[in-house]
Amino acid sequence: MNSKGLEILDLKNAMLVSTFFFLWLAVYFSDRVEETLGFLLIFSFGILHGSNDLELLKRKASFGRGSRSHMGLLLAYIGFVLAMALLFSWIPLATLALFVLISAYHFGEQHWVRRIGINGFLQKGIYLSYGLLVLSLLFQAHPQEVVEIIRQISGREIPAGYFGWSSLFFLLVFLASALWNFYWTQAYRYLLYEVFLLGVFFVVFHTASLLWAFAIYFVVWHSIPSLADQIRILYGQFSLHNGKKYLKASLVYWLGALATLGLAFLYFSNGDYGLLPLFFSFLAAITFPHVLVIARLYKG
Ligand SMILES: CC1=C(/C=C/C(C)=C/C=C/C(C)=C/C=C/C=C(C)/C=C/C=C(C)/C=C/C2=C(C)CCCC2(C)C)C(C)(C)CCC1
């Protein structure tokens, strides 16, 4: 096996070991401690993994024909974030549904792109059904809290019973599209490991509090592998030295995003908006441009 293959395998093993370690923490600590740890993980690695989007966009543009100034990209990015925040306040339920759909696609893309590519309709179906399956598993493990957060964001109450059915539905769609795809690509060896992994997520989601469960998935299984991909694309290799370069280049955006979240929290904290609905709305606003950047990047 070449060194790149070993590097991916090492990262995957480290992700699995840290998942079990975080699961162990969930057994011993109260929900309050888990919530604090969850925010710490999300504010560090989670927010960081989107903070170098402008550099990635510039890199992508330098391969193509068009190139835009840093200021132009910065203004376009901020404009996009503001437009999504406005859309959230005008049509919250539809924007929330869109957020869940594109997040699911984004999670699935990150998880599968290196193994099955991005070209066909079927691959895109695998990304979307896999992401929707993971999110449904998370929702069905904490139905009452999820219903309450959705109610606070959108003013609408979704029946909690939907989440169990949607998990089953997306499991079947994911398995069918994966089997169909693997029939052509002979990639069956992935499936057993992936079903095992989904079982691990099921146990983690049912053991940890909602925020801790989300943080474990979002940081360990999405943000860290995404950071590794981005570092490889920008600097050629995933290493500590290049990690420091990435951190230096993204520091100002990372701090900017954290400061904006802090200000939003201070501004809204007197209203009847809870901490989690505010946090997820903020995440949604910065998610939209980030998802577009990463999708463009993988296409290249
Ligand atoms: C560059 C730049 C910047 C920064 C940026 C950043 C920092 C980004 C990041 C990004 C990111 C960091 C992203 C993220 C993503 C995320 C996601 C994708 C998520 C998802 C989630 C979900 C989907 C959820 C769901 C739920 C739950 C879980 C419970 C409850 C209910 C609900 C439904 C909400 C700024 C703006 C400063 C400026 C300009 C430039």
Side-chain angles (χ1 to χ4, degrees):
M1 194 180 300
N2 61 24
S3 67
K4 214 173 231 169
L6 268 178
E7 192 194 283
I8 294 169
L9 210 67
D10 283 352
L11 186 63
K12 282 218 168 326
N13 289 341
M15 283 152 63
L16 202 57
V17 172
S18 28
T19 303
F20 285 120
F21 174 66
F22 290 149
L23 177 65
W24 176 77
L25 290 184
V27 175
Y28 284 98
F29 289 104
S30 67
D31 283 7
R32 192 115 198 110
V33 176
E34 284 181 23
E35 197 160 283
T36 312
L37 289 176
F39 277 128
L40 274 177
L41 273 190
I42 295 169
F43 291 158
S44 52
F45 294 102
I47 301 290
L48 183 67
H49 98 279
S51 306
N52 228 348
D53 282 1
L54 294 185
E55 211 48 53
L56 292 166
L57 266 183
K58 274 199 288 182
R59 178 60 60 97
K60 170 84 187 157
S62 72
F63 289 138
R65 271 177 291 138
S67 81
R68 290 173 69 179
S69 71
H70 186 83
M71 189 48 88
L73 288 176
L74 177 67
L75 290 178
Y77 199 101
I78 295 180
F80 212 130
V81 172
L82 290 177
M84 292 328 295
L86 275 182
L87 214 58
F88 237 100
S89 59
W90 284 333
I91 38 170
L93 190 62
T95 316
L96 187 65
L98 185 67
F99 168 55
V100 171
L101 276 179
I102 70 157
S103 300
Y105 181 86
H106 180 60
F107 289 157
E109 179 183 55
Q110 161 58 46
H111 195 80
W112 286 99
V113 71
R114 288 169 139 257
R115 287 173 291 175
I116 62 172
I118 197 157
N119 296 327
F121 183 69
L122 199 57
Q123 282 93 335
K124 293 189 166 68
I126 293 179
Y127 299 165
L128 187 63
S129 56
Y130 180 81
L132 284 170
L133 170 59
V134 171
L135 285 171
S136 302
L137 286 176
L138 178 62
F139 297 164
Q140 61 85 36
H142 300 275
Q144 297 311 333
E145 269 174 281
V146 172
V147 167
E148 179 52 23
I149 293 174
I150 294 178
R151 194 192 60 73
Q152 286 195 36
I153 294 178
S154 70
R156 298 289 180 84
E157 199 141 326
I158 308 281
Y162 281 6
F163 304 136
W165 288 111
S166 61
S167 305
L168 194 63
F169 176 74
F170 292 123
L171 176 67
L172 294 177
V173 177
F174 165 68
L175 286 177
S177 44
L179 285 171
W180 183 243
N181 182 70
F182 296 170
Y183 173 77
W184 299 107
T185 58
Q186 310 282 313
Y188 288 105
R189 63 183 184 280
Y190 299 135
L191 204 56
L192 213 60
Y193 173 73
E194 288 302 330
V195 171
F196 159 73
L197 213 54
L198 286 166
V200 172
F201 293 157
F202 182 85
V203 174
V204 169
F205 294 167
H206 276 269
T207 312
S209 65
L210 175 64
L211 192 81
W212 187 225
F214 172 73
I216 295 175
Y217 181 77
F218 177 59
V219 172
V220 177
W221 290 95
H222 175 71
S223 305
I224 290 182
S226 171
L227 276 168
D229 280 353
Q230 295 176 37
I231 290 173
R232 265 184 225 112
I233 289 170
L234 286 171
Y235 310 115
Q237 201 195 0
F238 177 48
S239 65
L240 195 62
H241 176 69
N242 291 336
K244 284 186 195 157
K245 278 198 204 162
Y246 182 99
L247 187 63
K248 208 170 144 198
S250 53
L251 196 63
V252 61
Y253 303 110
W254 181 34
L255 294 177
L258 290 181
T260 313
L261 177 63
L263 288 177
F265 183 64
L266 284 180
Y267 185 75
F268 290 106
S269 59
N270 294 331
D272 27 47
Y273 226 49
L275 177 64
L276 285 186
L278 183 67
F279 165 71
F280 280 116
S281 310
F282 171 80
L283 211 53
I286 55 175
T287 290
F288 287 99
H290 169 72
V291 168
L292 287 180
V293 172
I294 299 297
R296 281 192 65 182
L297 202 72
Y298 283 137
K299 243 186 214 163

